[in-house]
Amino acid sequence: MENFSIIASPMTKLLRKETKYEWNADCEEIFQELKWRLTNAPVWILPNEDKDYDVYSDVSKRGLGCVLMQNGKVVAYASQQLKKHEGHYLTHDLELVADYDFTIEYHPGKANVVADASAGSQS
């Protein structure tokens, strides 16, 4: 959603330790706007493991986000606001978080060794 972090900013500020949680008319208005945008957004597609994915990412002094797409349609997205101290990072350092090339390979039926190993160590 375009400008999500900016729109949601007054609500996410309520979650800070130093802020008293107080739901007011502005928060309600923002909540209703976000609810409308999320429920009226274009329908996402289910991923097709046989086709390539495109990942788009960006970062600003306010937050970072990425979108996973396939055939020009959104499969999933993630975004988050930067923490207060992260806003002081150099632009170059922030870009390193959001801008890099990689390949995702999916191997159906193969065990996830890392997840299996960590699950075993929790017993």
Side-chain angles (χ1 to χ4, degrees):
M1 171 189 319
E2 187 174 350
N3 296 321
F4 178 83
S5 64
I6 295 168
I7 295 167
S9 179
M11 288 176 53
T12 56
K13 287 178 182 174
L14 293 175
L15 303 175
R16 294 183 181 161
K17 288 181 183 178
E18 68 274 4
T19 303
K20 180 180 177 187
Y21 183 87
E22 188 175 316
W23 190 267
N24 56 32
D26 288 339
C27 292
E28 182 63 30
E29 183 179 334
I30 291 164
F31 174 75
Q32 294 301 329
E33 173 70 16
L34 291 173
K35 184 170 75 171
W36 184 87
R37 287 182 181 222
L38 288 169
T39 57
N40 290 290
V43 176
W44 296 354
I45 63 165
L46 293 174
N48 181 340
E49 64 189 52
D50 297 325
K51 296 189 177 187
D52 292 336
Y53 292 90
D54 295 312
V55 177
Y56 298 95
S57 61
D58 197 15
V59 67
S60 70
K61 289 291 186 181
R62 291 181 176 254
L64 59 92
C66 64
V67 180
L68 178 66
M69 299 183 76
Q70 198 171 56
N71 294 333
K73 300 197 179 193
V74 176
V75 174
Y77 78 94
S79 67
Q80 74 178 51
Q81 282 188 326
L82 296 178
K83 293 180 176 68
K84 197 173 195 175
H85 69 278
E86 292 170 331
H88 300 294
Y89 291 176
L90 298 173
T91 303
H92 175 265
D93 294 339
L94 290 172
E95 287 292 339
L96 289 174
V97 174
D99 189 20
Y100 53 90
D101 294 329
F102 61 92
T103 302
I104 300 173
E105 293 184 14
Y106 176 68
H107 303 283
K110 291 192 176 182
N112 183 337
V113 177
V114 175
D116 291 344
S118 64
S121 65
Q122 295 176 355
S123 331

PDB file of all heavy atoms in Angstrom, residues 81-93:
ATOM      1  N   GLN A  81       8.406   0.414   9.794  1.00  0.00           N
ATOM      2  CA  GLN A  81       8.982   1.710  10.091  1.00  0.00           C
ATOM      3  C   GLN A  81      10.346   1.490  10.722  1.00  0.00           C
ATOM      4  O   GLN A  81      10.567   0.488  11.407  1.00  0.00           O
ATOM      5  CB  GLN A  81       8.119   2.480  11.078  1.00  0.00           C
ATOM      6  CG  GLN A  81       6.901   3.103  10.460  1.00  0.00           C
ATOM      7  CD  GLN A  81       6.198   4.004  11.452  1.00  0.00           C
ATOM      8  OE1 GLN A  81       6.187   3.741  12.638  1.00  0.00           O
ATOM      9  NE2 GLN A  81       5.617   5.072  10.953  1.00  0.00           N
ATOM     10  N   LEU A  82      11.233   2.426  10.494  1.00  0.00           N
ATOM     11  CA  LEU A  82      12.530   2.357  11.147  1.00  0.00           C
ATOM     12  C   LEU A  82      12.376   2.736  12.616  1.00  0.00           C
ATOM     13  O   LEU A  82      11.539   3.562  12.967  1.00  0.00           O
ATOM     14  CB  LEU A  82      13.517   3.312  10.477  1.00  0.00           C
ATOM     15  CG  LEU A  82      13.871   3.027   9.024  1.00  0.00           C
ATOM     16  CD1 LEU A  82      14.828   4.097   8.511  1.00  0.00           C
ATOM     17  CD2 LEU A  82      14.487   1.652   8.871  1.00  0.00           C
ATOM     18  N   LYS A  83      13.189   2.118  13.446  1.00  0.00           N
ATOM     19  CA  LYS A  83      13.225   2.504  14.855  1.00  0.00           C
ATOM     20  C   LYS A  83      13.905   3.875  14.935  1.00  0.00           C
ATOM     21  O   LYS A  83      14.593   4.290  14.020  1.00  0.00           O
ATOM     22  CB  LYS A  83      13.988   1.461  15.653  1.00  0.00           C
ATOM     23  CG  LYS A  83      13.261   0.135  15.708  1.00  0.00           C
ATOM     24  CD  LYS A  83      14.063  -0.871  16.507  1.00  0.00           C
ATOM     25  CE  LYS A  83      13.319  -2.162  16.669  1.00  0.00           C
ATOM     26  NZ  LYS A  83      13.155  -2.917  15.454  1.00  0.00           N
ATOM     27  N   LYS A  84      13.700   4.552  16.037  1.00  0.00           N
ATOM     28  CA  LYS A  84      14.208   5.914  16.179  1.00  0.00           C
ATOM     29  C   LYS A  84      15.703   5.994  15.865  1.00  0.00           C
ATOM     30  O   LYS A  84      16.141   6.850  15.097  1.00  0.00           O
ATOM     31  CB  LYS A  84      13.932   6.404  17.598  1.00  0.00           C
ATOM     32  CG  LYS A  84      14.036   7.870  17.778  1.00  0.00           C
ATOM     33  CD  LYS A  84      13.570   8.253  19.180  1.00  0.00           C
ATOM     34  CE  LYS A  84      13.325   9.730  19.255  1.00  0.00           C
ATOM     35  NZ  LYS A  84      12.760  10.131  20.533  1.00  0.00           N
ATOM     36  N   HIS A  85      16.500   5.094  16.425  1.00  0.00           N
ATOM     37  CA  HIS A  85      17.949   5.145  16.202  1.00  0.00           C
ATOM     38  C   HIS A  85      18.323   4.767  14.774  1.00  0.00           C
ATOM     39  O   HIS A  85      19.325   5.233  14.255  1.00  0.00           O
ATOM     40  CB  HIS A  85      18.685   4.235  17.201  1.00  0.00           C
ATOM     41  CG  HIS A  85      18.456   2.783  16.989  1.00  0.00           C
ATOM     42  ND1 HIS A  85      17.337   2.121  17.468  1.00  0.00           N
ATOM     43  CD2 HIS A  85      19.185   1.854  16.318  1.00  0.00           C
ATOM     44  CE1 HIS A  85      17.396   0.862  17.122  1.00  0.00           C
ATOM     45  NE2 HIS A  85      18.500   0.660  16.423  1.00  0.00           N
ATOM     46  N   GLU A  86      17.512   3.950  14.112  1.00  0.00           N
ATOM     47  CA  GLU A  86      17.813   3.556  12.738  1.00  0.00           C
ATOM     48  C   GLU A  86      17.649   4.731  11.771  1.00  0.00           C
ATOM     49  O   GLU A  86      18.272   4.767  10.719  1.00  0.00           O
ATOM     50  CB  GLU A  86      16.913   2.398  12.304  1.00  0.00           C
ATOM     51  CG  GLU A  86      17.210   1.114  13.043  1.00  0.00           C
ATOM     52  CD  GLU A  86      16.180   0.022  12.793  1.00  0.00           C
ATOM     53  OE1 GLU A  86      15.002   0.344  12.528  1.00  0.00           O
ATOM     54  OE2 GLU A  86      16.570  -1.155  12.869  1.00  0.00           O
ATOM     55  N   GLY A  87      16.829   5.695  12.126  1.00  0.00           N
ATOM     56  CA  GLY A  87      16.637   6.877  11.299  1.00  0.00           C
ATOM     57  C   GLY A  87      17.896   7.729  11.178  1.00  0.00           C
ATOM     58  O   GLY A  87      17.996   8.572  10.301  1.00  0.00           O
ATOM     59  N   HIS A  88      18.861   7.485  12.067  1.00  0.00           N
ATOM     60  CA  HIS A  88      20.122   8.231  12.027  1.00  0.00           C
ATOM     61  C   HIS A  88      21.185   7.543  11.171  1.00  0.00           C
ATOM     62  O   HIS A  88      22.275   8.078  11.004  1.00  0.00           O
ATOM     63  CB  HIS A  88      20.657   8.433  13.448  1.00  0.00           C
ATOM     64  CG  HIS A  88      19.721   9.194  14.328  1.00  0.00           C
ATOM     65  ND1 HIS A  88      19.396  10.525  14.132  1.00  0.00           N
ATOM     66  CD2 HIS A  88      18.998   8.811  15.400  1.00  0.00           C
ATOM     67  CE1 HIS A  88      18.534  10.912  15.038  1.00  0.00           C
ATOM     68  NE2 HIS A  88      18.268   9.888  15.828  1.00  0.00           N
ATOM     69  N   TYR A  89      20.891   6.349  10.660  1.00  0.00           N
ATOM     70  CA  TYR A  89      21.866   5.637   9.839  1.00  0.00           C
ATOM     71  C   TYR A  89      22.097   6.397   8.535  1.00  0.00           C
ATOM     72  O   TYR A  89      21.210   7.096   8.036  1.00  0.00           O
ATOM     73  CB  TYR A  89      21.373   4.235   9.496  1.00  0.00           C
ATOM     74  CG  TYR A  89      21.307   3.262  10.647  1.00  0.00           C
ATOM     75  CD1 TYR A  89      20.790   1.994  10.456  1.00  0.00           C
ATOM     76  CD2 TYR A  89      21.736   3.592  11.926  1.00  0.00           C
ATOM     77  CE1 TYR A  89      20.713   1.082  11.498  1.00  0.00           C
ATOM     78  CE2 TYR A  89      21.659   2.689  12.964  1.00  0.00           C
ATOM     79  CZ  TYR A  89      21.152   1.441  12.749  1.00  0.00           C
ATOM     80  OH  TYR A  89      21.075   0.546  13.782  1.00  0.00           O
ATOM     81  N   LEU A  90      23.270   6.247   7.983  1.00  0.00           N
ATOM     82  CA  LEU A  90      23.572   6.843   6.688  1.00  0.00           C
ATOM     83  C   LEU A  90      22.697   6.211   5.612  1.00  0.00           C
ATOM     84  O   LEU A  90      22.366   5.025   5.683  1.00  0.00           O
ATOM     85  CB  LEU A  90      25.042   6.621   6.332  1.00  0.00           C
ATOM     86  CG  LEU A  90      26.067   7.258   7.277  1.00  0.00           C
ATOM     87  CD1 LEU A  90      27.467   6.805   6.898  1.00  0.00           C
ATOM     88  CD2 LEU A  90      25.966   8.766   7.235  1.00  0.00           C
ATOM     89  N   THR A  91      22.330   6.999   4.607  1.00  0.00           N
ATOM     90  CA  THR A  91      21.499   6.500   3.510  1.00  0.00           C
ATOM     91  C   THR A  91      22.136   5.273   2.869  1.00  0.00           C
ATOM     92  O   THR A  91      21.452   4.296   2.568  1.00  0.00           O
ATOM     93  CB  THR A  91      21.270   7.596   2.457  1.00  0.00           C
ATOM     94  OG1 THR A  91      20.668   8.713   3.095  1.00  0.00           O
ATOM     95  CG2 THR A  91      20.381   7.108   1.334  1.00  0.00           C
ATOM     96  N   HIS A  92      23.446   5.305   2.696  1.00  0.00           N
ATOM     97  CA  HIS A  92      24.161   4.168   2.097  1.00  0.00           C
ATOM     98  C   HIS A  92      23.930   2.891   2.904  1.00  0.00           C
ATOM     99  O   HIS A  92      23.674   1.823   2.350  1.00  0.00           O
ATOM    100  CB  HIS A  92      25.657   4.479   2.024  1.00  0.00           C
ATOM    101  CG  HIS A  92      26.470   3.330   1.537  1.00  0.00           C
ATOM    102  ND1 HIS A  92      27.082   2.450   2.397  1.00  0.00           N
ATOM    103  CD2 HIS A  92      26.742   2.895   0.284  1.00  0.00           C
ATOM    104  CE1 HIS A  92      27.713   1.516   1.694  1.00  0.00           C
ATOM    105  NE2 HIS A  92      27.523   1.768   0.408  1.00  0.00           N
ATOM    106  N   ASP A  93      24.002   2.988   4.226  1.00  0.00           N
ATOM    107  CA  ASP A  93      23.799   1.819   5.082  1.00  0.00           C
ATOM    108  C   ASP A  93      22.358   1.320   5.002  1.00  0.00           C
ATOM    109  O   ASP A  93      22.106   0.117   4.985  1.00  0.00           O
ATOM    110  CB  ASP A  93      24.165   2.141   6.525  1.00  0.00           C
ATOM    111  CG  ASP A  93      25.646   2.415   6.700  1.00  0.00           C
ATOM    112  OD1 ASP A  93      26.443   1.979   5.835  1.00  0.00           O
ATOM    113  OD2 ASP A  93      26.017   3.070   7.691  1.00  0.00           O
TER     114      ASP A  93
END
